[in-house]
Amino acid sequence: MSTHEVPRTLTVSGFRTRSSFGFAGLSKNVTMAAAGVLVMEGVIATRVPASLFVTLPVTALALVLAAARRHGMPAAAYYWARLAWHQAAKSEAASYRRVLLPDPYALDLPGVGASSTLIKAVDPTTGRPVGVVHDRSTGRMTVTTLLAPGGTLMAPTAAVQSTLRTWASVLDQMSTDEQIEGASVTIQITPGAGEALADDVAARRDPHAPDFARRTIDELVRTTPHATASVAPWMSVSVDPLAGPNPPTDLVEQVGQTLRVVDSLDLSGTGTDIERRATDVDVRRLVRSAYDPAVFNARDKDFADLQWGECGPQAADDGWTEYAHDGGISISYVLREMPRRPISYSVLLPLLAPGRFQRRITLAYRVLDPHEGEAVLEREISYAQQRAQATAEFKGRAKWSQKADAQRAEAAAAQVASGAQVVEWTLMVTVTARSTDQLDAARAETERAIKATRGIRMRPAYGAQAPVFAAGLPLGYNPLVK
């Protein structure tokens, strides 16, 4: 084995995109809708036969758009989203200006964060302050845990295997807790942190050191600001405190129940160290510095007096492929397809490497309960077999890709029968440039990092830049949680 190979025991596989069975590559719902439309057109044609010259071409065009793919999604969905975004931009609904909003809306965040509010609470187990984000429309509460950056690239194989098993047990615990709605893990890489390190090294340098040592230190001081970054990882867990058997009625009791549920998740042994629960000041810092990266290293007192609405942007414009906000302009990418082959546990390393621009990588999770997961996989097996059988009846044999897909579905069902869990998840990446002049460079750097993963395919979040941007922040928004 070469130094660049990864043992098979440290690879991950079994990724599948949920799909249903329909005619000519259409989904089940679209096929049923098309059948209903055709029947209706036939009924109308019995009275007005000439109507078929209009209705049939329109229906055929709609079916072609539904069956065709554009950027990994149905072409009909892509063009419908494009039309909806143009209408929103035309009516100025894609632009946000906080100074023009009257009270009480001036205290709200824009977009998906409008229904959220920040609660300063105290953790009863530690007595330390905790920031809890409350979604007033759904009742969900989100608690963020600050993690210590680390890694397992230098760890023995047995240690990495233990880490993967421990994380699987955490997901298993989330699946059996009906109050946990979803979770997300975010890693934010901010370049330029080497400047502080260089100042510290310069202050510690001994003027009487050997000439070679001083030249080496000078070279490090010169190159460090371009080679290091500040890494800030955190995990946000969304909880529905009202989903238990005895739902609390008081807001204080709901916060307490949320903290108890989050405290029950044991992250020890998952390859990361818990720094602490994020306080209300920490949450304000993460949100505000995302919209304005220039304040990332500001003091805590600069965030302590901010209203929750002031943590958002002063102004923002949600474009088709970019999101302009205070102090920068961001581009967000979403997962399009995972490779069908086994991948290394360190596959995301190119995305986590420091670059010229601030970058956030977010993994969002929703763990299905055992009964729901088993039902989903049983449907997936049936759909996969039906697709292969329909192709075999039409062309004489099924495609090899269809046979392999059915085998993967059966393998996943066997794993679930042995105690594994079904997890819905997605990957989101947001890169922020300080000006429009740097936007092309930021886009090129991120796309190179995505290609360096060798298999993960991503696409820009067309018409959904603002929601995906917010999904990487501790705002309580998880796109997988309905």
Side-chain angles (χ1 to χ4, degrees):
M1 185 180 68
S2 68
T3 56
H4 297 286
E5 292 178 344
V6 177
R8 292 185 59 86
T9 54
L10 298 184
T11 58
V12 184
S13 60
F15 305 104
R16 290 188 73 255
T17 302
R18 185 185 296 190
S19 59
S20 60
F21 173 71
F23 176 75
L26 300 174
S27 65
K28 179 180 178 181
N29 293 335
V30 174
T31 300
M32 295 177 62
V37 171
L38 290 175
V39 170
M40 186 179 301
E41 291 176 355
V43 173
I44 296 175
T46 58
R47 295 180 177 273
V48 187
S51 63
L52 293 176
F53 291 101
V54 178
T55 58
L56 286 181
V58 173
T59 302
L61 177 61
L63 292 177
V64 168
L65 289 176
R69 311 294 291 183
R70 186 74 188 273
H71 302 292
M73 67 180 80
Y78 173 83
Y79 290 115
W80 178 260
R82 182 102 191 198
L83 177 62
W85 177 83
H86 274 295
Q87 292 295 327
K90 186 178 180 180
S91 61
E92 298 183 353
S95 297
Y96 171 80
R97 301 294 183 269
R98 191 178 71 193
V99 294
L100 301 180
L101 293 177
D103 290 333
Y105 304 105
L107 303 179
D108 292 338
L109 294 175
V112 295
S115 61
S116 66
T117 185
L118 182 62
I119 300 175
K120 182 179 180 180
V122 177
D123 192 339
T125 59
T126 62
R128 297 179 178 177
V130 179
V132 180
V133 177
H134 179 215
D135 191 326
R136 293 166 293 185
S137 63
T138 62
R140 285 194 297 266
M141 295 186 175
T142 301
V143 176
T144 299
T145 303
L146 302 182
L147 307 176
T152 55
L153 292 179
M154 303 295 292
T157 300
V160 179
Q161 290 175 331
S162 176
T163 296
L164 295 176
R165 287 193 297 267
T166 305
W167 180 246
S169 66
V170 172
L171 296 178
D172 179 68
Q173 184 179 356
M174 292 172 59
S175 70
T176 56
D177 195 328
E178 60 184 0
Q179 292 182 304
I180 297 180
E181 297 285 335
S184 63
V185 177
T186 300
I187 300 179
Q188 180 172 279
I189 302 101
T190 304
E195 297 174 358
L197 180 61
D199 293 340
D200 182 69
V201 171
R204 295 169 180 266
R205 187 177 61 173
D206 186 355
H208 303 292
D211 184 64
F212 175 76
R214 285 188 281 109
R215 288 201 308 267
T216 302
I217 290 297
D218 291 339
E219 180 67 16
L220 288 174
V221 170
R222 186 180 65 83
T223 59
T224 293
H226 306 284
T228 63
S230 172
V231 181
W234 65 82
M235 179 177 181
S236 298
V237 180
S238 296
V239 176
D240 185 1
L242 303 178
N246 298 313
T249 57
D250 185 70
L251 183 61
V252 176
E253 295 178 355
Q254 295 176 16
V255 172
Q257 179 65 19
T258 299
L259 293 176
R260 283 190 291 270
V261 172
V262 176
D263 287 339
S264 66
L265 291 177
D266 185 10
L267 298 180
S268 59
T270 58
T272 186
D273 296 327
I274 296 178
E275 186 174 330
R276 54 185 166 82
R277 300 285 183 225
T279 65
D280 58 312
V281 176
D282 294 326
V283 175
R284 291 189 184 96
R285 176 190 294 276
L286 293 175
V287 175
R288 182 59 197 151
S289 62
Y291 288 105
D292 189 3
V295 302
F296 179 78
N297 293 316
R299 298 177 179 178
D300 288 346
K301 66 178 183 180
D302 296 331
F303 301 96
D305 296 330
L306 284 181
Q307 297 290 333
W308 182 235
E310 295 175 334
C311 296
Q314 294 281 351
D317 294 302
D318 190 6
W320 178 246
T321 57
E322 67 277 334
Y323 181 54
H325 49 84
D326 298 352
I329 181 169
S330 299
I331 307 173
S332 295
Y333 296 81
V334 294
L335 181 65
R336 174 175 173 176
E337 184 181 9
M338 286 295 293
R340 299 176 183 178
R341 56 175 174 80
I343 60 175
S344 166
Y345 76 101
S346 58
V347 66
L348 295 180
L349 190 59
L351 285 172
L352 301 176
R356 293 177 52 196
F357 307 96
Q358 185 185 74
R359 189 186 304 161
R360 277 191 309 280
I361 299 91
T362 300
L363 280 167
Y365 298 92
R366 188 179 81 90
V367 186
L368 279 62
D369 66 74
H371 297 291
E372 182 183 0
E374 182 179 0
V376 167
L377 287 179
E378 289 297 331
R379 288 197 300 268
E380 290 295 307
I381 293 175
S382 299
Y383 293 152
Q385 293 176 347
Q386 290 171 4
R387 286 192 295 269
Q389 182 179 357
T391 303
E393 293 177 354
F394 183 73
K395 295 185 176 181
R397 67 174 181 86
K399 297 180 181 179
W400 284 109
S401 60
Q402 293 175 334
K403 295 179 181 179
D405 183 65
Q407 292 174 356
R408 287 195 297 270
E410 293 174 355
Q415 292 175 351
V416 170
S418 300
Q421 302 300 328
V422 180
V423 180
E424 286 186 345
W425 68 279
T426 188
L427 175 66
M428 296 167 285
V429 177
T430 298
V431 59
T432 300
R434 295 298 182 93
S435 64
T436 55
D437 297 336
Q438 301 176 342
L439 192 61
D440 291 337
R443 180 184 289 109
E445 179 183 270
T446 306
E447 292 178 354
R448 280 196 304 269
I450 294 173
K451 291 180 181 178
T453 60
R454 298 182 180 180
I456 296 179
R457 302 179 64 187
M458 305 189 72
R459 62 170 176 80
Y462 296 111
Q465 289 288 317
V468 176
F469 181 93
L473 302 177
L475 296 177
Y477 171 69
N478 190 324
L480 301 179
V481 179
K482 299 180 180 179

